[in-house]
Amino acid sequence: MKQGSWLLGGGWNNDFWGGELPMASWIDDITPHNPVWLSRIDGHMGLANSLALKLAGTSSYMNDPDGGAIIRNSNGEATGLLVDSTMKLITSCIPEVSVDVRREALMRASNLALMRGVTTVVDVGRYFPGSSTETSWEDFSDVYTWADLVGKMLIRVCLFFPIETWARLRDLKYKAGPKLSEKIYLGGVKAFADGSLGSSSALFHEPYVDEPHNSGLEVADINSLHGMTVSADKAGLQVAIHAIGDKANALILDMYASVVSHNGFRDRRFRIEHAQHLVPGMASRFSEQAIIASVQPDHMLDDADSAIKKLGIERATKGSYVFQSLLASGTKLAFGSDWPVRIYCQQVADINPLGSMRTAMKRIPSGWHEAWSSSECMNLSDALKAYTIWAAHGCFLDKDVGSISPGKLADFVVLSTDSWDEFSREGSAYVEATYMGGIRAFP
């Protein structure tokens, strides 16, 4: 690489090598002339080398900003790891990815989606705590609108934008309506309540077992978030908020209840993205408040070992990924993959509905011989609905897609198996063909 050019990547998971967090010193010797930024698999933590820290003006004397943390060693020196909102220190220094690269990324991602049998996605944009709210809007105008105009939109997409820009989306939907074309839908707004389990920034009522002085991060001011949610909801926009830890989920459930009390009842379909860790009894609140639980089964494969280390056996077993408990309470689940994080990074989880359905049904992480909380295993019918009609319901697209019904768009897949019973037993089916609107889109 040319000296001074950025080396970008990601997808690392410290749990794969025993749990020790990486440091800039691990990579400084081989990157003396190139700034480096490598995102963790969950996108809520990243590793910078010393040159990148220097370019960003990071020093040992800096205080942690709200909603973020600079990881330091015993001497108080920055190790190279930045969490949530502090990642902006580095990402703001990275040259913007070109329009051509982003357009090519859309083509590649769309082709992969079709290969996996996915015809419709919800895209919440390149937006993370501390990042610019403009990237989602730039991708909307430079990538999605362009692709639609030139006939290169290969899949359907429902776009969500940063909640800070709710008024902008309100004005656009008022002018253009919720459906810009057969392929582009305007969804709602997205926000974050906390970080991630793997980065120890998910917000819990109790501290992490391996970090007794840390209970996670509240990455957004709850009063400010409440105000924006009231305004966005009053404007008729759907709201989706990321919450992973049990305290974060409790805060958002309380806030959603307050917003409904303030704005009155209607079919709003509030979403909580992830809803990974809940205290006993919390699952029923989703149903009582008609909250969509937008969850990602494959995340449990990455979290299985670390959850026990970070939360202890009881908390990890009773409150993690409680899909069946949510279903039993009457909650609608919307399955997804949470992929990709950023254009230049590896994926968070594979975009593979068949694999995720198998995960939700079996709940057996790699190296395990039995299910993680077997009482939370789902049956095939519910797992299929969570990836189809319930997912469509979760973003107000159920009148167009989600089931093969009269009046809907004829999106469907042809699988390699002749029997769902066989898939339930073997879980080895693959997509032979994907159709959109009755027309073959893959292969």
Side-chain angles (χ1 to χ4, degrees):
M1 298 182 69
K2 293 181 180 180
Q3 290 190 12
S5 60
W6 281 82
L7 193 161
L8 306 173
W12 58 269
N13 185 351
N14 50 297
D15 292 320
F16 289 169
W17 62 71
E20 183 182 5
L21 288 169
M23 297 180 287
S25 59
W26 289 16
I27 57 176
D28 280 345
D29 288 347
I30 60 171
T31 58
H33 307 298
N34 297 86
V36 177
W37 177 243
L38 307 171
S39 277
R40 192 181 185 278
I41 188 172
D42 52 27
H44 288 267
M45 174 187 279
L47 174 67
N49 68 349
S50 293
L51 180 55
L53 292 174
K54 182 179 179 181
L55 290 173
T58 305
S59 72
S60 302
Y61 306 103
M62 295 180 66
N63 293 323
D64 290 347
D66 292 337
I70 300 171
I71 305 300
R72 309 169 194 272
N73 60 22
S74 58
N75 296 321
E77 301 167 335
T79 66
L81 289 173
L82 303 177
V83 181
D84 284 312
S85 65
T86 54
M87 297 190 296
K88 186 177 181 180
L89 296 171
I90 299 294
T91 57
S92 62
C93 299
I94 299 173
E96 178 57 59
V97 180
S98 72
V99 172
D100 288 340
V101 169
R102 287 184 283 142
R103 289 174 177 176
E104 174 60 23
L106 175 62
M107 297 300 103
R108 289 187 287 111
S110 298
N111 279 313
L112 178 59
L114 291 172
M115 185 172 68
R116 294 286 190 255
V118 176
T119 66
T120 307
V121 300
V122 171
D123 184 1
V124 296
R126 293 180 290 144
Y127 171 62
F128 273 81
S131 66
S132 171
T133 59
E134 284 300 304
T135 54
S136 298
W137 287 97
E138 290 168 358
D139 289 340
F140 168 63
S141 60
D142 298 340
V143 180
Y144 283 115
T145 302
W146 165 83
D148 202 39
L149 287 173
V150 300
K152 291 190 175 183
M153 274 300 298
L154 304 180
I155 60 176
R156 309 187 201 284
V157 63
C158 181
L159 299 173
F160 275 64
F161 296 86
I163 197 169
E164 294 89 340
T165 64
W166 68 267
R168 190 171 174 181
L169 179 60
R170 174 202 60 193
D171 295 344
L172 177 61
K173 292 190 77 169
Y174 179 78
K175 177 181 178 181
K179 188 175 181 179
L180 296 185
S181 70
E182 186 183 326
K183 300 289 181 63
I184 300 180
Y185 298 80
L186 296 176
V189 290
K190 165 79 182 291
F192 289 83
D194 65 348
S196 71
L197 181 72
S199 300
S200 298
S201 56
L203 185 64
F204 287 91
H205 289 289
E206 299 178 28
Y208 289 88
V209 172
D210 58 343
E211 297 180 53
H213 300 295
N214 176 29
S215 298
L217 291 173
E218 189 176 310
V219 300
D221 177 74
I222 195 66
N223 292 323
S224 175
L225 182 58
H226 181 275
M228 290 186 289
T229 302
V230 168
S231 298
D233 178 71
K234 194 171 185 178
L237 301 175
Q238 188 179 16
V239 179
I241 300 180
H242 163 118
I244 287 184
D246 54 27
K247 185 175 181 179
N249 278 278
L251 286 172
I252 301 308
L253 286 169
D254 289 345
M255 189 186 74
Y256 279 162
S258 174
V259 172
V260 172
S261 177
H262 188 280
N263 288 344
F265 290 93
R266 66 177 176 84
D267 182 14
R268 47 175 46 89
R269 302 184 199 180
F270 278 150
R271 295 166 59 113
I272 288 186
E273 306 300 311
H274 312 305
Q276 282 183 195
H277 307 281
L278 309 178
V279 296
M282 190 182 290
S284 62
R285 292 191 59 187
F286 281 75
S287 176
E288 292 166 2
Q289 297 179 220
I291 307 297
I292 304 294
S294 171
V295 298
Q296 300 74 34
D298 282 348
H299 281 354
M300 76 172 70
L301 303 181
D302 298 319
D303 281 350
D305 295 322
S306 62
I308 294 174
K309 295 176 184 176
K310 293 175 178 291
L311 305 179
I313 294 178
E314 184 173 356
R315 285 165 65 191
T317 301
K318 293 184 178 180
S320 300
Y321 297 97
V322 290
F323 298 156
Q324 187 57 40
S325 293
L326 286 163
L327 281 174
S329 74
T331 302
K332 278 190 169 64
L333 300 185
F335 274 0
S337 63
D338 204 28
W339 177 95
V341 178
R342 291 185 175 89
I343 289 168
Y344 56 79
C345 289
Q346 295 181 21
Q347 61 209 38
V348 173
D350 190 12
I351 183 170
N352 183 4
L354 291 175
S356 292
M357 287 167 57
R358 183 171 61 250
T359 298
M361 293 161 60
K362 306 295 185 183
R363 295 179 65 96
I364 302 178
S366 177
W368 288 41
H369 301 293
E370 56 186 30
W372 177 6
S373 302
S374 59
S375 62
E376 296 295 340
C377 290
M378 292 174 58
N379 63 43
L380 171 65
S381 177
D382 287 338
L384 183 59
K385 289 176 182 176
Y387 248 123
T388 53
I389 188 61
W390 292 344
H393 172 88
C395 54
F396 285 94
L397 299 190
D398 45 324
K399 291 184 179 180
D400 285 349
V401 295
S403 64
I404 302 175
S405 309
K408 292 191 179 184
L409 301 168
D411 290 8
F412 59 92
V413 297
V414 179
L415 301 181
S416 61
T417 179
D418 294 328
S419 165
W420 281 116
D421 290 336
E422 180 183 343
F423 173 77
S424 296
R425 290 193 305 270
E426 306 296 332
S428 58
Y430 60 90
V431 174
E432 289 189 339
T434 304
Y435 286 77
M436 284 188 62
I439 299 173
R440 191 166 179 145
F442 167 82

